[in-house]
Amino acid sequence: MTEPVTTTVSAGPGAVPDSPPGSLHQLFETARRELVLEGRAGEVWGIVIPFGALALILLPLALGPDVPLLARVGPAVFWVVALLFGMLIALRQSSADPAELRDLQRLLEVDPAARLVGKALAGAVWLLGLLLVLGAATVVLYAPAIPVRWWMVPVVLMLVALGVAMAATLAGEVAAGLRSRSTLAPLLAAPLGIPVLVAAAETTDRLQVGGSILTPTLLLVMVDLILAIVIVLAAGPLEDATS
Amino acid sequence: MTPIAALDGIEVRLGRLPVLRGVDFMVSPGEAVGVVGPNGSGKTTLLRVLATLLRPGGGSGTVLGAPLGTDQVRRVRRRIGLAGHQPALWNELTLRENLMAIARLSGLGETAADDALYRVGLTGAGGRSAGRSSHGMRRRVDLARLLLTRPRLVLLDEAAAGLDRSARLLVDAVVAEALGSGGGAVLVSHDAEHLGAAVTRVVEIEDGGMRVSGGRR
């Protein structure tokens, strides 16, 4: 603090334009900020991802060296661990704005839908990171059969990451400002994430046996779309309700 | 002359508890009103009503011409600047990054944010994490936000509490800037001494109702 404090009245270069930036600009601005916030908070890469990987490591140790059994249960264990630890990421503390920041964003006329979708998008990026780490750990530790169409797996993972992130963002917003947020939000998010988990597990099952994945993939896409529509429609009323 | 804000018989309840009881209040252009009252008297609630963030349960009023309780308030929110009890900052961002984020969300350039940071004397400390900065520094960034966005209605909640002399002068500068452009300001505090030199009128609030009004400075 070496510079003098300027107390004279000047027009300055400030003064906000009459209309706020477009929703898409606000969405990406929110997503970018959320990525930075979580990257610096370190909750995801420092705690959730290592513990998720540890959960995958513990089961083979408990089951013993039964390679066929591990290969059979591997994908199922992957999805259960992914959903449980994915919820922790999607409901991470850094994504919960305190009251003063919520007020600030309302006064800046940040589109509530853009704010929530931006948060969900950032959550999906972190979730995808978790799924990739857990996926790699599953391949190494459980040696499941690699599907012929393995290149479909990243697409499924992306759809799952988006679905879980949107479900958790929605639940987090419903519980925003409540003292019981950390308890209530997972209880609200888990039922929303279950259709995503069921469709994802079915898709990878069918990929492994070489069957058609059209139906479960369409189900994943539909669940994601429904969640996106609900977020966009509910964002405004939720913001008003939690003020 | 259209008032900056005019409240008529405003009632607010939080649950069953009445917080504001029939409050009449007006801010004219070029006027900075100080609201003094003890803890729990409804000062912060009054500011939230004026900021259009809290919908009153009764009474009527306008803020920057928009009737309270209608969707029209959304169109004037960008002209309202609120510095609440807690500075509104993302703790994991640096002080400068916080202002940059607000500039981008407001449609302003990064130069404007740097200029505001300079005006509050924090250019050299802009790289500090907001979460690890002192209350005074965090409050200065809050004030820099108001210098950056230049709202027509400035609302300050205990803005000078815990600040050194130069920072208190900044509070006066923020208010003076709003008044100079034909806007208005409302400053609340539990202590009239903390309102600052820019206040033109002081009213008292007690138990959710205005007790004495019109005391000019």
Side-chain angles (χ1 to χ4, degrees):
Chain A
M1 272 199 297
T2 51
E3 319 84 56
V5 172
T6 311
T7 54
T8 51
V9 178
S10 80
V16 291
D18 284 336
S19 53
S23 294
L24 208 58
H25 172 93
Q26 294 178 338
L27 188 157
F28 285 114
E29 187 57 41
T30 303
R32 185 170 75 158
R33 188 186 63 239
E34 291 290 323
L35 283 171
V36 173
L37 291 179
E38 181 45 49
R40 292 187 187 165
E43 190 182 336
V44 171
W45 56 263
I47 299 171
V48 181
I49 292 180
F51 274 90
L54 189 66
L56 279 181
I57 292 168
L58 290 177
L59 196 73
L61 291 177
L63 288 177
D66 186 342
V67 177
L69 177 64
L70 288 176
R72 213 166 50 244
V73 300
V77 174
F78 165 80
W79 284 119
V80 170
V81 172
L83 183 75
L84 292 177
F85 284 83
M87 281 293 168
L88 291 181
I89 288 182
L91 292 166
R92 67 204 180 280
Q93 195 56 42
S94 68
S95 73
D97 285 336
E100 58 272 14
L101 282 172
R102 295 171 70 85
D103 286 349
L104 172 63
Q105 290 173 89
R106 287 179 77 190
L107 289 177
L108 292 175
E109 270 190 78
V110 176
D111 179 359
R115 188 174 68 83
L116 286 195
V117 176
K119 278 175 178 285
L121 208 57
V125 171
W126 285 112
L127 269 165
L128 194 59
L130 169 80
L131 295 174
L132 290 174
V133 171
L134 293 185
T138 305
V139 170
V140 171
L141 296 168
Y142 295 80
I146 303 291
V148 179
R149 285 172 294 163
W150 61 266
W151 43 269
M152 278 300 295
V153 175
V155 177
V156 174
L157 295 184
M158 266 191 270
L159 290 171
V160 170
L162 272 174
V164 174
M166 285 192 289
T169 303
L170 200 55
E173 192 66 7
V174 170
L178 299 176
R179 276 186 206 157
S180 54
R181 179 189 183 271
S182 54
T183 312
L184 184 61
L187 290 176
L188 293 170
L192 295 174
I194 284 172
V196 178
L197 178 73
V198 170
E202 184 65 22
T203 310
T204 43
D205 265 4
R206 292 193 186 189
L207 272 175
Q208 279 191 305
V209 297
S212 166
I213 59 163
L214 185 65
T215 310
T217 308
L218 275 180
L219 179 60
L220 264 178
V221 172
M222 250 179 58
V223 171
D224 283 6
L225 271 177
I226 289 169
L227 284 168
I229 290 167
V230 171
I231 282 186
V232 169
L233 293 180
L238 276 174
E239 187 177 79
D240 288 340
T242 52
S243 66
Chain B
M1 193 160 43
T2 312
I4 297 292
L7 306 182
D8 183 14
I10 290 293
E11 309 262 351
V12 173
R13 283 175 172 273
L14 294 181
R16 292 171 64 184
L17 185 75
V19 183
L20 293 182
R21 294 187 286 199
V23 167
D24 300 329
F25 187 78
M26 183 178 283
V27 185
S28 301
E31 190 178 37
V33 184
V35 180
V36 183
N39 295 333
S41 56
K43 303 185 295 295
T44 300
T45 304
L46 175 66
L47 276 196
R48 288 182 60 76
V49 169
L50 288 167
T52 74
L53 295 171
L54 188 62
R55 194 182 281 245
S60 61
T62 60
V63 173
L64 299 175
L68 289 176
T70 67
D71 278 348
Q72 290 181 50
V73 295
R74 290 181 194 276
R75 278 185 249 145
V76 300
R77 279 186 178 152
R78 285 162 63 77
R79 305 290 171 206
I80 300 170
L82 169 69
H85 213 60
Q86 293 293 328
L89 300 174
W90 286 280
N91 285 334
E92 289 82 7
L93 298 186
T94 66
L95 299 175
R96 181 173 181 269
E97 285 170 342
N98 266 282
L99 270 188
M100 293 293 172
I102 288 158
R104 283 193 295 267
L105 285 173
S106 307
L108 295 168
E110 296 197 344
T111 317
D114 277 333
D115 183 71
L117 203 63
Y118 173 77
R119 292 185 65 196
V120 298
L122 284 179
T123 303
R128 281 196 197 188
S129 159
R132 291 178 188 165
S133 297
S134 68
H135 173 75
M137 281 181 159
R138 291 164 60 83
R139 178 58 85 190
R140 277 171 189 254
V141 177
D142 234 14
L143 295 171
R145 167 168 59 83
L146 300 181
L147 291 170
L148 170 70
T149 55
R150 288 196 294 153
R152 284 207 74 207
L153 174 58
V154 170
L155 304 169
L156 302 173
D157 192 351
E158 304 279 4
L163 297 184
D164 59 25
R165 188 177 164 279
S166 65
R168 288 202 299 274
L169 288 175
L170 272 175
V171 175
D172 293 341
V174 167
V175 173
E177 188 151 314
L179 305 193
S181 61
V186 180
L187 297 87
V188 307
S189 176
H190 64 281
D191 186 347
E193 294 300 312
H194 289 166
L195 289 175
V199 168
T200 54
R201 181 162 62 92
V202 179
V203 298
E204 290 181 41
I205 187 169
E206 194 171 288
D207 277 342
M210 291 300 176
R211 195 159 65 89
V212 180
S213 66
R216 274 199 182 272
R217 283 193 161 188

